[in-house]
Amino acid sequence: MIPPQEASARRREIEDKLKQEEETLSFIRDSLEKSDQLTKNMVSILSSFESRLMKLENSIIPVHKQTETLQRLQENVEKTLSCLDHVISYYHVASDTEKIIREGPTGRLEEYLGSMAKIQKAVEYFQDNSPDSPELNKVKLLFERGKESLESEFRSLMTRHSKVVSPVLLVDLISGEDDLEVQEEAPLEHLPESVLQDVIRISRWLVEYGRNQDFMNVYYQIRSSQLDRSIKGLKEHFRKSSSSSGVPYSPAVPNKRKDTPTKKPVKRPGTIRKAQNLLKQYSQHGLDGKKGGSNLIPLEGRDDMLDVETDAYIHCVSAFVKLAQSEYQLLTDVIPEHHQKKTFDSLIQDALDGLMLEGENIVAAARKAIIRHDFSAVLTVFPILRHLKQTKPEFDQVLQGTAAGTKNKLPGLITAMETVGAKALEDFADNIKNDPDKEYNMPKDGTVHELTSNAILFLQQLLDFQETAGAMLASQETSSSATSYSSEFSKRLLSTYICKVLGNLQLNLLSKSKVYEDPALSAIFLHNNYNYILKALEKSELIQLVAVTQKTAERSYREHVEQQIQTYQRSWLKVTDYIAEKNLPVFQPGVKLRDKERQMIKERFKGFNDGLEELCKIQKAWAIPDTEQRDKIRQAQKNIVKETYGAFLHRYGSVPFTKNPEKYIKYRVEQVGDMIDRLFDTSA
């Protein structure tokens, strides 16, 4: 049971808590009443605000709609006014631009094209909006007149400013074609830059707005003429230079010009002159032999003229490639892309046809030359053909995209030249074999026959054109291997051909040697010719070329030379046999000679003297041009005769076989040697 005091205290504590809770509850109740009041006030305010917003909206929306309408109306008015101004401007285009169109575009192309743009727009407007209006006809007429003026200006600019490329510049360009720096220093400027830009703008306008392609015909006709004239000018330059100075102009020699870059000398093709010069070197060593005759026309006399014509044509071919490349670069700026190939094809036709015609004339002249056995003229085909084949890749590249007929012109010319060249080689070999043995054409002194020198000269010329000549021969082969022949194959063909010519020449020389009645002179003739051939082969690359198919050719010719020397030496037997020991009488020393023995000794002396004098007189007029061979033959013969005569003189010189010894002992041994030393010397 709880004590009373604790219960009283517990009650007071509970009463205090209760009082506090009541106070808290009273506070919460007051707060809720205030919150309710505030809520009612806020709801009242919001309701009032909503009412006012609705009233404002009802007042503003009509005003906004009216404002929008007014703004739209204003914009429509402004657009209408702008359209009216734009339309009205088209009616003034003709009057505003007529003066400019009438005066033309010269000197003010930019302004002129601006006026043409206005006229074009006016035409389009009237066509779309008022096709029956007189204004349309007026601006159309003005547009056509303006277009014609632009076409005329295009022609005028091209005509006035297109210049022929000077021959000197072309020679510089060709001679320096491997020098990139030189090319950059001297580009071909067909048109001044400002003029070119005007031409480009006009061409683009005519294509885009003028719907006109006639200007392309104007372009190619003018540029074609300049291209053709440039090449013809170069050819004429070579002719004039050669006629005045004998040598075509080379930019590497004096007469330098400020506007012409200095170049290395023009690379001239291997022509007849090179072989001529080589044979002149042979003649300085005693190998020249032009006293004989032949129905082969000599290869001298016209080499300068042939060189000039050949050089001129070769340079014209190179110039065409360079100019065509330059023309195509210029054309790509002026002519629309889809018309470029066709226009370029037309542009180059005249110049290309001129080159091909001249090439065909060269082929035709070569055919005629073959008929009359004038092989010097045929030789001009070789450097030209070689150059054409070397230039063909560039030709093919520059003609890429042109018509098939244009592309096939050069291959056709190359084929024709190969055919005529092969014919020339074949006929030359046959002509060497069949050259007639005409007595009046044979050299009286037994020197080198002209047939030999011409044959060697011709073969020497082929050295400069080994691949070309080999290809000519290969082109005539019917075997399948010839269709894709290698350089080794063509080299073997050329070696076989040269051996064939030398073989034919040797057979002909043997036949010709029989014309001589004196076997000794016949031997000298064959010796001179064989020796000439041998030395010519050795002093050039011919011997290496011959050795490709005939390894022993050099040894064979040496044997032929020695054989003819031995044949010649036998001519002295009729002299030395008189005094040879085997034919001399035998007698005892101190024993008086019998009449028969004395007479025999006299006959031996007389026979020797007469034979020596006769041979020396005859053989002095013979010729051995090769100094080394001449001295060798003299020395060998002198040793034989002096030795035999010395022994004979020693044995019988003091024998009393006659009362007049000076009548029979006419020569001392040294005198005999001196007489032999004067053999083969027409000046002695």
Side-chain angles (χ1 to χ4, degrees), residues 530-571:
Y530 291 155
N531 184 63
Y532 182 90
I533 296 170
L534 175 62
K535 291 297 178 67
L537 293 176
E538 290 177 337
K539 287 181 179 290
S540 68
E541 297 176 11
L542 279 173
I543 192 66
Q544 288 90 346
L545 197 53
V546 168
V548 171
T549 55
Q550 191 171 330
K551 305 292 185 183
T552 61
E554 185 175 5
R555 185 181 68 189
S556 177
Y557 273 108
R558 292 190 185 282
E559 291 173 353
H560 289 324
V561 169
E562 290 301 320
Q563 182 182 353
Q564 297 309 318
I565 292 176
Q566 294 173 11
T567 301
Y568 161 75
Q569 288 176 342
R570 284 197 288 271
S571 68

Side-chain angles (χ1 to χ4, degrees), residues 43-155:
V43 170
S44 176
I45 292 170
L46 289 174
S47 296
S48 175
F49 184 70
E50 182 181 6
S51 175
R52 290 180 181 182
L53 280 176
M54 290 179 65
K55 290 180 181 180
L56 181 62
E57 183 179 354
N58 292 333
S59 300
I60 291 299
I61 287 177
V63 174
H64 176 69
K65 289 181 178 180
Q66 289 178 356
T67 303
E68 270 190 340
T69 302
L70 289 174
Q71 286 179 340
R72 232 179 359 256
L73 289 173
Q74 184 179 0
E75 288 175 359
N76 289 338
V77 169
E78 289 176 353
K79 288 181 180 179
T80 301
L81 290 174
S82 176
C83 288
L84 285 173
D85 289 339
H86 182 67
V87 170
I88 291 171
S89 68
Y90 288 130
Y91 286 86
H92 294 292
V93 166
S95 58
D96 292 343
T97 59
E98 185 174 7
K99 181 180 178 183
I100 297 174
I101 300 303
R102 185 173 63 250
E103 292 176 353
T106 304
R108 53 174 183 178
L109 181 62
E110 191 72 28
E111 180 183 6
Y112 193 89
L113 291 177
S115 297
M116 289 298 293
K118 293 178 182 179
I119 298 171
Q120 173 71 13
K121 290 180 180 178
V123 170
E124 293 172 354
Y125 170 78
F126 289 120
Q127 283 178 335
D128 294 339
N129 298 282
S130 184
D132 298 328
S133 66
E135 284 78 9
L136 176 59
N137 293 331
K138 190 172 184 180
V139 290
K140 269 188 173 181
L141 183 62
L142 196 59
F143 182 82
E144 291 300 322
R145 186 189 304 171
K147 185 172 72 171
E148 290 174 1
S149 294
L150 283 172
E151 293 171 357
S152 177
E153 179 69 5
F154 183 89
R155 179 187 293 273

Side-chain angles (χ1 to χ4, degrees), residues 278-291 447-450 452-454 456 527-540 561 624-630:
L278 190 57
L279 287 181
K280 288 177 183 176
Q281 294 175 14
Y282 297 163
S283 64
Q284 290 174 359
H285 292 83
L287 286 178
D288 191 18
K290 292 291 186 286
K291 295 182 180 179
T447 189
V448 179
H449 199 281
E450 190 172 30
T452 304
S453 60
N454 278 347
I456 292 298
H527 164 273
N528 285 333
N529 283 272
Y530 291 155
N531 184 63
Y532 182 90
I533 296 170
L534 175 62
K535 291 297 178 67
L537 293 176
E538 290 177 337
K539 287 181 179 290
S540 68
V561 169
I624 300 179
D626 188 336
T627 305
E628 181 182 347
Q629 285 291 313
R630 183 168 64 239

Side-chain angles (χ1 to χ4, degrees), residues 14-276:
I14 292 170
E15 288 175 353
D16 289 341
K17 286 184 178 180
L18 181 61
K19 185 179 181 179
Q20 288 178 356
E21 291 293 334
E22 287 176 350
E23 288 176 356
T24 302
L25 181 62
S26 178
F27 175 78
I28 291 172
R29 189 179 289 115
D30 291 341
S31 296
L32 285 172
E33 289 176 357
K34 288 180 182 180
S35 177
D36 288 341
Q37 186 64 39
L38 288 173
T39 299
K40 290 177 181 179
N41 291 339
M42 180 58 69
V43 170
S44 176
I45 292 170
L46 289 174
S47 296
S48 175
F49 184 70
E50 182 181 6
S51 175
R52 290 180 181 182
L53 280 176
M54 290 179 65
K55 290 180 181 180
L56 181 62
E57 183 179 354
N58 292 333
S59 300
I60 291 299
I61 287 177
V63 174
H64 176 69
K65 289 181 178 180
Q66 289 178 356
T67 303
E68 270 190 340
T69 302
L70 289 174
Q71 286 179 340
R72 232 179 359 256
L73 289 173
Q74 184 179 0
E75 288 175 359
N76 289 338
V77 169
E78 289 176 353
K79 288 181 180 179
T80 301
L81 290 174
S82 176
C83 288
L84 285 173
D85 289 339
H86 182 67
V87 170
I88 291 171
S89 68
Y90 288 130
Y91 286 86
H92 294 292
V93 166
S95 58
D96 292 343
T97 59
E98 185 174 7
K99 181 180 178 183
I100 297 174
I101 300 303
R102 185 173 63 250
E103 292 176 353
T106 304
R108 53 174 183 178
L109 181 62
E110 191 72 28
E111 180 183 6
Y112 193 89
L113 291 177
S115 297
M116 289 298 293
K118 293 178 182 179
I119 298 171
Q120 173 71 13
K121 290 180 180 178
V123 170
E124 293 172 354
Y125 170 78
F126 289 120
Q127 283 178 335
D128 294 339
N129 298 282
S130 184
D132 298 328
S133 66
E135 284 78 9
L136 176 59
N137 293 331
K138 190 172 184 180
V139 290
K140 269 188 173 181
L141 183 62
L142 196 59
F143 182 82
E144 291 300 322
R145 186 189 304 171
K147 185 172 72 171
E148 290 174 1
S149 294
L150 283 172
E151 293 171 357
S152 177
E153 179 69 5
F154 183 89
R155 179 187 293 273
S156 177
L157 288 174
M158 291 296 301
T159 303
R160 285 187 288 114
H161 296 283
S162 291
K163 303 297 182 183
V164 173
V165 181
S166 71
V168 173
L169 184 57
L170 280 177
V171 172
D172 283 353
L173 182 66
I174 297 167
S175 62
E177 58 187 358
D178 297 326
D179 191 343
L180 297 179
E181 293 183 359
V182 173
Q183 282 190 336
E184 291 175 0
E185 290 175 4
L188 286 178
E189 185 182 69
H190 297 292
L191 294 171
E193 184 61 28
S194 60
V195 174
L196 177 59
Q197 293 306 317
D198 286 350
V199 167
I200 293 172
R201 293 208 60 188
I202 293 174
S203 70
R204 289 178 179 173
W205 189 93
L206 290 172
V207 170
E208 185 174 356
Y209 302 107
R211 306 293 189 270
N212 185 296
Q213 297 181 5
D214 291 343
F215 77 94
M216 300 180 196
N217 296 332
V218 172
Y219 178 87
Y220 92 70
Q221 288 168 1
I222 294 174
R223 293 309 311 163
S224 175
S225 174
Q226 299 304 322
L227 174 62
D228 192 40
R229 288 170 61 193
S230 296
I231 293 176
K232 288 179 178 177
L234 177 62
K235 183 177 181 181
E236 188 63 25
H237 171 76
F238 268 81
R239 287 177 175 172
K240 288 182 178 179
S241 298
S242 64
S243 61
S244 60
S245 63
V247 179
Y249 169 79
S250 172
V253 293
N255 192 25
K256 294 179 181 177
R257 298 167 38 154
K258 291 183 179 179
D259 59 341
T260 303
T262 301
K263 303 280 199 312
K264 57 189 175 183
V266 176
K267 295 179 182 177
R268 305 190 65 192
T271 50
I272 300 170
R273 185 180 294 111
K274 180 175 179 180
Q276 293 279 26

Side-chain angles (χ1 to χ4, degrees), residues 287-329:
L287 286 178
D288 191 18
K290 292 291 186 286
K291 295 182 180 179
S294 170
N295 72 334
L296 285 173
I297 297 178
L299 297 181
E300 300 105 334
R302 293 180 303 159
D303 55 313
D304 287 339
M305 179 188 70
L306 292 174
D307 273 353
V308 170
E309 293 296 325
T310 301
D311 283 357
Y313 186 73
I314 287 174
H315 280 78
C316 286
V317 169
S318 295
F320 172 81
V321 173
K322 294 297 179 184
L323 289 172
Q325 290 171 342
S326 181
E327 287 290 349
Y328 189 76
Q329 292 174 358

Side-chain angles (χ1 to χ4, degrees), residues 331-362:
L331 178 141
T332 55
D333 291 330
V334 180
I335 305 299
E337 183 176 359
H338 55 287
H339 291 286
Q340 289 173 2
K341 294 298 184 181
K342 181 179 179 181
T343 304
F344 180 70
D345 196 335
S346 300
L347 189 155
I348 62 173
Q349 283 304 314
D350 286 348
L352 181 60
D353 286 345
L355 286 176
M356 294 302 106
L357 178 60
E358 190 170 352
E360 290 166 4
N361 290 339
I362 291 171

